[in-house]
């Protein structure tokens, strides 16, 4: 089955700086790569996703890049703000069955 | 408001006492799924459903049952709960024909003693 590795497990950045979280996946058949943000006491919320026929996607301060050859994808957050503090999960899926999640990154924005 | 709701939000029970966690969505989504979240293990899929009367196992289905008799509801059933099923459970739904763009519920924290 699919295996998704996520790094780092904890990331601390100064407010206003950029944050980058990286994931690798094992199944070359995977073609859908979402990123979820989870705030304390809440369910995960989809913030951006990318399909395998696209190399990069951007939505305001958030961007995701995908390298299918190397089987890795990354989340980039620019101009970080206090409200960006949360746990971020990457995931991969190759079909209808389900998502395989990474173990999460705790992002801390230092004032 | 478009949402996924779960009940109860918190539950403490004893080993062997059957329980059901309900999940309901008001977005007319066909795809629904259940995940459990454990420290250090992330989110793992338990069961999913492509449509009414269609369910299938995820990565960790042992000890769980589901049913999909109506489009909006997807209950998770623990026939004989055990302490290793202590976890945070999330229901999710998707407007697509698979696990794409999923909306997650608020979670149910289950403790089995």
């Amino acid at each position: 089955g699919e295996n998704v590795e996520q790094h780092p497990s904890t990331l601390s950045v100064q407010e206003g700086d950029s944050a980058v979280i990286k994931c690798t996946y094992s199944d070359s058949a995977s073609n859908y790569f979402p990123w979820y943000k989870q705030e304390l006491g809440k369910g995960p919320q989809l913030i951006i996703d990318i399909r395998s026929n696209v190399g990069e996607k951007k939505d305001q301060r958030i961007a995701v890049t995908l390298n299918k050859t190397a089987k890795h994808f990354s989340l980039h957050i620019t101009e970080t703000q206090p409200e960006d503090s949360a746990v971020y999960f990457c995931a991969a899926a190759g079909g209808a069955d389900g998502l395989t999640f990474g173990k999460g990154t705790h992002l801390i924005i230092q004032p | 408001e478009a949402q996924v709701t779960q009940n109860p939000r918190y539950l403490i029970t004893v080993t062997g006492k059957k329980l059901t966690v309900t999940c309901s969505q008001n977005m007319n989504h066909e795809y629904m799924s259940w995940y459990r979240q454990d420290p250090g293990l992330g989110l793992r899929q338990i069961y999913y459903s492509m449509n009414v009367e269609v369910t299938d196992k995820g990565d960790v289905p042992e000890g769980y049952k589901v049913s999909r008799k109506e489009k909006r509801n997807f209950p998770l059933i623990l026939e004989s709960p055990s302490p290793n099923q202590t976890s945070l459970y999330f229901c999710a739904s998707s407007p697509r024909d698979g696990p794409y763009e999923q909306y997650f519920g608020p979670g149910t924290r289950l403790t089995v003693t």
Side-chain angles (χ1 to χ4, degrees), chain A residues 8-96:
Chain A
S9 56
T10 303
L11 177 60
S12 182
V13 301
Q14 290 293 125
E15 182 178 348
D17 288 350
S18 295
V20 180
I21 303 171
K22 298 181 179 182
C23 288
T24 60
Y25 62 98
S26 62
D27 189 348
S28 56
S30 289
N31 57 14
Y32 175 68
F33 308 92
W35 286 89
Y36 283 85
K37 175 183 180 182
Q38 186 176 26
E39 297 175 326
L40 199 60
K42 296 185 178 180
Q45 179 184 13
L46 179 68
I47 56 171
I48 196 166
D49 58 8
I50 193 167
R51 302 251 181 179
S52 60
N53 58 347
V54 175
E56 183 174 359
K57 184 176 178 181
K58 192 173 181 180
D59 182 3
Q60 299 183 340
R61 296 187 297 109
I62 294 172
V64 57
T65 58
L66 171 66
N67 183 328
K68 282 222 74 177
T69 303
K71 292 196 211 137
H72 65 71
F73 56 112
S74 301
L75 177 71
H76 304 253
I77 305 174
T78 59
E79 300 171 11
T80 53
Q81 300 169 4
E83 55 265 36
D84 294 330
S85 292
V87 179
Y88 291 80
F89 291 95
C90 64

Side-chain angles (χ1 to χ4, degrees), chain A residues 31-32 36 38 41-44 46 49 51 89 93-103, chain B residues 9 31 35 37 40-43 45 48 50 59 88 90 97-102 104-106:
Chain A
N31 57 14
Y32 175 68
Y36 283 85
Q38 186 176 26
K42 296 185 178 180
L46 179 68
D49 58 8
R51 302 251 181 179
F89 291 95
D97 47 0
L99 293 172
T100 300
F101 283 86
K103 290 183 171 47
Chain B
R9 294 289 314 279
Y31 185 96
Y35 295 85
Q37 184 174 31
L41 296 177
L43 289 134
Q45 189 179 51
Y48 66 96
M50 295 287 289
D59 295 323
L88 180 57
F90 289 101
D97 58 351
Y100 315 109
E101 302 169 29
Q102 288 188 87
F104 279 77

